[in-house]
């Protein structure tokens, strides 16, 4: 089963009000409205694309150790997944799919990292719950996401919905702003230029891990040449 088919199956159950979430349809309508408005804003078209240079960054891993993009790229191409947080079931399913694909990435000399605005405590929870062997980096205030054109500010009505669902992002993230990154996947060559980019303002849609293999293969071939 593909990643997207798993996400679609989860979404169907969630929107049908099935356990364990049991949400009323008014919640679904609000989420649909927020997604539609984000799509209509054109924000995704302003995000970094293939051919753009990745902004350099240094972020903390779940143990508080600094990890820099320069250090990661020194060893080979880099796969980056920007995701919302451990509270998002769609994100967790994506992380699990990336973990399954990790041997294919590593066979092509690539490293994989995930970037989230959540604090290190919740990153450790993500690693533990999803049985991950790749690092999750904490992007406090969504600064790196903003540099990539991914950060957006949540509408007041959506903030109120999250609060009613006890989804307290300021506590999750250690940051008072109600901002999130649009889910995004990048493949970055060792020269720092983006070889593959997929950004989707609809958080229920994620590319397949295998979609990145051609770009990784091209990067590996270029490195070997």
């Amino acid at each position: 089963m593909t990643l997207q088919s798993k996400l679609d199956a989860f979404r169907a159950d969630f929107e049908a009000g099935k356990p364990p979430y049991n949400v009323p349809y008014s919640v679904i309508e609000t989420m649909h409205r927020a997604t539609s408005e984000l799509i209509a804003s054109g924000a995704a078209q302003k995000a970094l694309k293939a051919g753009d240079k990745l902004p350099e960054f240094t972020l903390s891993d779940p143990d508080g150790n600094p990890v820099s993009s320069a250090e990661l790229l020194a060893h080979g191409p880099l796969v980056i997944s920007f995701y919302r947080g451990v509270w998002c079931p769609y994100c967790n399913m994506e992380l699990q799919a990336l973990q399954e694909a990790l041997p294919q990435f590593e066979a092509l000399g690539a490293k994989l990292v995930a970037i989230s605005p959540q604090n290190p405590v919740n990153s450790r929870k993500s690693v533990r719950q999803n049985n991950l062997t790749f690092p999750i980096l904490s992007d406090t205030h969504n600064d790196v996401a903003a540099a990539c054109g991914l950060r957006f500010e949540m509408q007041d009505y959506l903030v109120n919905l999250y609060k009613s669902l006890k989804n307290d992002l300021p506590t999750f993230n250690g940051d008072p702003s109600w901002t999130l990154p649009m889910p995004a996947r990048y493949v970055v060559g060792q020269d720092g230029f983006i070889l593959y980019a997929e950004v989707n303002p609809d958080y229920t849609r994620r590319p397949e891990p295998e979609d990145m293999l051609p770009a990784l293969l091209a990067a590996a071939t270029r490195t070997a040449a």
Side-chain angles (χ1 to χ4, degrees):
M1 183 181 285
T2 65
L3 169 59
Q4 191 57 54
S5 62
K6 291 178 182 177
L7 297 176
D8 290 342
F10 174 84
R11 178 177 177 173
D13 286 347
F14 179 79
E15 295 191 352
K18 293 183 179 179
Y21 295 95
N22 305 307
V23 296
Y25 197 71
S26 59
V27 169
I28 306 302
E29 288 179 319
T30 300
M31 291 178 171
H32 284 178
R33 174 188 172 189
T35 298
S36 295
E37 289 179 356
L38 185 58
I39 293 170
S41 75
Q45 282 69 51
K46 300 172 186 174
L48 293 185
K49 301 175 178 61
D52 292 334
K53 187 78 177 285
L54 178 76
E56 291 189 11
F57 62 78
T58 299
L59 299 173
S60 295
D61 70 10
D63 298 317
N65 302 310
V67 177
S68 72
S69 55
E71 174 189 355
L72 292 167
L73 289 169
H75 300 286
L78 180 62
V79 176
I80 303 175
S81 172
F82 282 88
Y83 80 104
R84 291 148 35 107
V86 68
W87 50 269
C88 172
Y90 298 93
C91 295
N92 291 325
M93 283 186 273
E94 179 185 15
L95 293 178
Q96 292 163 19
L98 289 170
Q99 177 64 44
E100 290 178 10
L102 182 57
Q104 295 174 277
F105 302 158
E106 292 178 337
L108 293 170
K111 289 190 175 296
L112 167 65
V113 298
I115 297 178
S116 164
Q118 67 192 4
N119 62 30
V121 171
N122 285 304
S123 290
R124 289 195 293 272
K125 185 177 180 182
S126 283
V127 169
R128 186 172 63 252
Q129 287 187 348
N130 295 299
N131 297 312
L132 306 180
T133 60
F134 59 89
I136 294 176
L137 307 181
S138 292
D139 181 20
T140 307
H141 312 301
N142 277 302
D143 288 337
V144 176
C148 294
L150 303 173
R151 183 176 67 188
F152 70 95
E153 188 169 346
M154 297 170 65
Q155 300 280 12
D156 288 344
Y157 69 83
L158 188 59
V159 171
N160 291 335
L161 174 64
Y162 272 50
K163 288 178 178 178
S164 73
L165 297 173
K166 304 295 189 290
N167 203 353
D168 185 359
L169 293 191
T171 298
F172 274 115
N173 298 341
D175 169 32
S177 73
W178 285 84
T179 63
L180 285 173
M182 289 180 285
R185 196 93 59 72
Y186 290 114
V187 174
V188 186
Q190 283 194 268
D191 58 3
F193 283 91
I194 296 169
L195 304 174
Y196 168 98
E198 180 69 31
V199 180
N200 202 322
D202 182 349
Y203 61 89
T204 69
R205 310 289 304 175
R206 311 291 169 105
E208 299 300 323
E210 292 76 15
D211 292 351
M212 295 177 293
L213 293 179
L216 288 172
L217 182 59
T221 303
R222 188 182 341 177
T223 301

